Amino acid sequence: MKRNLRFTLALLAAKLSVFCLRLIGRKGTNLPGGIAIFLCKDFLGRMPRPETIVGITGTNGKTTVANMVEDVLERLGYDFVCNRTGSNVDTGVASALIASSTLWGKPKKRLAVFELDERSANLTMSYIKPDLLLVTNIFRDSYKRNAHPEFIVDILNRFVPDSTRLVLNADDLMCASLKPGSVRSYFSIDPQPEEEPSGENIVQDVRACPKCGALLEWETRRYHHIGRARCPQCGLSSPQGECRAAEVGERDMLVEMGGEAVRLPLSNRSMINVYNSLAAAALLYAFGLAPEKIAGAMAHTAISASRYLEEEVNSRKVILHLAKGQNPVACSRAFQNIRDYPGKKAAILFLDDYFDAMHTVENISWLYDADFEFLADDSVTQVVAAGARHWDVYLRLLMAGAKEERLAHLPETEEAAGALRLGEADAVFILYDVYTIGLANRVKEQVKELMKKEGSRG
């Protein structure tokens, strides 16, 4: 698209807002992009783009993967623009481009790395046209916004440009089937010796072959529809990954990229973390980095503390763990991580979506797609549910088989730590929504004080 008067006025107004925000010390705001798009609806399509644009999208993991990719590129000396401090929708992308351009919109940097919301691909990807796009996975998400995963697949198929080179999760048939005519590469995890042949989740959105409709046969199903499958009728099968995790250890994994094997570090062995690290490596490899360079730089990266953080107090652990409100898959992964964590655990659940907690919502169906059964395990000594929907969460826990004497629930989130009976717990997990990290940190400090008062369990 060519520039026009409306675009020029929108750009100048946005630039003025950037100047004003800097004067008052404000950073990471989407206001400039919001102003630009309000004044010129197709602003992103008219804004001059950097020479190369790399995008990261998908239902879960895109923020973690984007942060890892950006950390590696920064460590290797790349100069790029990104939306790390803004949002992943059109206003956030526009704000990042505006901030990194001259007065008349010429890009100051040749490379851009953007986390992109999959639901709003029509507002971003069809305009900025990423050269390289990673899709982490496709799951059911918030029902009020994303409807069902096929709805998201349709959006991506329609609005990801045909010219975009894709990096896809081979172990997610829904993801692997995106844009069948496009140039692509895949990443996957080989079946591991200790893995169970089938996952134990309520939700499995891919049961039938997406090509002919026959019931799929699974070599392994790690969780939900993530795994290796084959159709006995038409022969469709999970593709082989050019970037493969051959061996997954406690603190690293052996990854094969283009015939070369390297070891990549892992902060923990959670499969979600393994897939995120592998996805970042696959994208960097597709970008053109050598495997040894990727491995060397990733040794110095870590999961963002806003997603997962462990602290030790008197030989006990207090752990912050993101669990997106209204997202049954993200919550199920967090619940299983609690169950699989060594020792005895207690958990505090802040599962209300931040905006729903403010304005209330009546749809609680997602609670019955989330695997609360993991929290009924005998290794979980107590679960405290706090927030506007505490009664609903309490009922769901009872239906999952959790023992009543191990449950507590209350409407006031700030009082959750006080309801803890630390008892035999070696670790306390605090699960929170994307926008409630402040609350989670306050409660974490309260839990740490309780642990200090009780002393060491040594």
Side-chain angles (χ1 to χ4, degrees):
M1 293 182 181
K2 293 182 179 180
R3 301 186 187 199
N4 57 17
L5 180 60
R6 183 183 292 273
F7 168 80
T8 302
L9 292 174
L11 177 62
L12 293 176
K15 284 288 187 181
L16 179 60
S17 73
V18 171
F19 176 74
C20 293
L21 288 168
R22 285 175 179 168
L23 281 180
I24 61 175
R26 292 285 301 277
K27 296 179 180 179
T29 172
N30 293 335
L31 181 61
I35 291 172
I37 291 173
F38 176 77
L39 295 174
C40 179
K41 297 298 182 185
D42 54 3
F43 179 86
L44 276 177
R46 298 181 186 277
M47 184 72 178
R49 69 194 293 278
E51 185 177 309
T52 302
I53 294 181
V54 176
I56 297 104
T57 193
T59 307
N60 294 325
K62 54 185 174 287
T63 301
T64 299
V65 173
N67 290 345
M68 294 176 72
V69 168
E70 290 157 10
D71 288 346
V72 167
L73 291 175
E74 191 174 69
R75 187 167 188 84
L76 293 176
Y78 284 86
D79 189 25
F80 57 91
V81 58
C82 68
N83 56 337
R84 189 168 190 162
T85 59
S87 76
N88 59 15
V89 295
D90 55 348
T91 55
V93 173
S95 293
L97 289 173
I98 291 165
S100 182
S101 67
T102 65
L103 180 62
W104 301 109
K106 183 179 179 181
K108 293 180 180 178
K109 299 178 181 180
R110 298 171 63 186
L111 173 63
V113 180
F114 291 134
E115 177 192 340
L116 300 170
D117 175 58
E118 69 283 3
R119 171 66 177 81
S120 55
N122 58 315
L123 301 176
T124 54
M125 298 187 207
S126 57
Y127 286 132
I128 66 172
K129 302 186 185 305
D131 299 283
L132 186 62
L133 179 68
L134 169 78
V135 186
T136 57
N137 47 59
I138 303 292
F139 285 121
R140 63 176 67 186
D141 200 344
S142 171
Y143 303 150
K144 65 177 183 177
R145 180 173 185 266
N146 287 15
H148 49 79
E150 290 84 358
F151 173 65
I152 300 301
V153 168
D154 179 63
I155 288 175
L156 292 173
N157 278 336
R158 285 192 290 139
F159 295 107
V160 172
D162 294 339
S163 59
T164 298
R165 181 183 171 192
L166 302 174
V167 181
L168 304 173
N169 188 340
D171 297 344
D172 177 350
L173 275 177
M174 198 170 290
C175 177
S177 66
L178 287 170
K179 301 286 294 183
S182 297
V183 177
R184 71 205 40 239
S185 60
Y186 298 101
F187 60 94
S188 63
I189 302 174
D190 288 352
Q192 300 298 300
E194 74 284 0
E195 281 188 307
E196 297 292 332
S198 180
E200 44 188 319
N201 301 108
I202 295 169
V203 170
Q204 184 187 350
D205 282 314
V206 182
R207 294 178 181 271
C209 174
K211 185 176 180 181
C212 72
L215 193 65
L216 291 169
E217 294 177 348
W218 292 83
E219 177 186 1
T220 183
R221 185 165 67 88
R222 293 190 171 96
Y223 51 86
H224 305 289
H225 61 262
I226 299 297
R228 310 291 297 171
R230 179 186 177 278
C231 175
Q233 184 165 293
C234 73
L236 178 74
S237 61
S238 300
Q240 291 299 316
E242 288 84 352
C243 183
R244 294 172 33 251
E247 298 175 9
V248 179
E250 290 298 326
R251 289 297 173 183
D252 65 8
M253 58 178 168
L254 181 67
V255 177
E256 295 184 4
M257 289 183 269
E260 186 174 343
V262 294
R263 288 203 170 270
L264 301 182
L266 294 172
S267 57
N268 63 66
R269 203 177 187 276
S270 158
M271 270 297 165
I272 286 289
N273 180 46
V274 176
Y275 272 111
N276 286 342
S277 297
L278 183 63
L283 179 59
L284 291 163
Y285 181 65
F287 178 70
L289 295 184
E292 64 273 11
K293 278 195 172 183
I294 297 171
M298 286 186 73
H300 300 277
T301 64
I303 295 177
S304 168
S306 67
R307 305 280 146 168
Y308 186 92
L309 176 67
E310 287 192 18
E311 292 187 28
E312 186 167 326
V313 180
N314 289 336
S315 76
R316 296 185 184 190
K317 294 285 183 68
V318 57
I319 301 163
L320 295 184
H321 195 316
L322 177 67
K324 295 181 182 178
Q326 300 282 330
N327 184 318
V329 173
C331 285
S332 295
R333 297 294 85 235
F335 298 160
Q336 185 168 358
N337 288 343
I338 292 175
R339 186 201 66 177
D340 294 344
Y341 194 84
K344 298 289 187 179
K345 293 85 61 171
I348 296 175
L349 310 182
F350 299 134
L351 300 185
D352 293 321
D353 177 277
Y354 175 74
F355 298 105
D356 287 340
M358 291 174 63
H359 306 293
T360 75
V361 64
E362 295 301 319
N363 189 341
I364 59 168
S365 58
W366 75 273
L367 293 173
Y368 295 87
D369 282 344
D371 295 287
F372 282 83
E373 285 71 14
F374 291 128
L375 298 179
D377 191 80
D378 285 339
S379 67
V380 181
T381 59
Q382 188 188 15
V383 181
V384 178
R389 288 288 174 186
H390 66 102
W391 276 107
D392 296 306
V393 176
Y394 173 65
L395 175 61
R396 178 66 184 91
L397 283 161
L398 290 174
M399 295 179 67
K403 296 176 182 177
E404 187 174 359
E405 62 270 21
R406 294 183 178 179
L407 304 178
H409 62 104
L410 61 159
E412 299 300 329
T413 53
E414 300 284 355
E415 298 175 8
L420 273 178
R421 302 186 310 272
L422 287 177
E424 299 178 350
D426 303 304
V428 174
F429 279 81
I430 302 172
L431 269 56
Y432 58 94
D433 181 55
V434 175
Y435 297 101
T436 56
I437 182 64
L439 165 67
N441 274 309
R442 292 194 298 274
V443 173
K444 178 197 70 176
E445 294 304 316
Q446 295 170 13
V447 173
K448 287 168 64 178
E449 287 302 313
L450 287 172
M451 289 180 169
K452 289 174 184 177
K453 288 178 182 178
E454 287 210 359
S456 175
R457 302 193 66 242

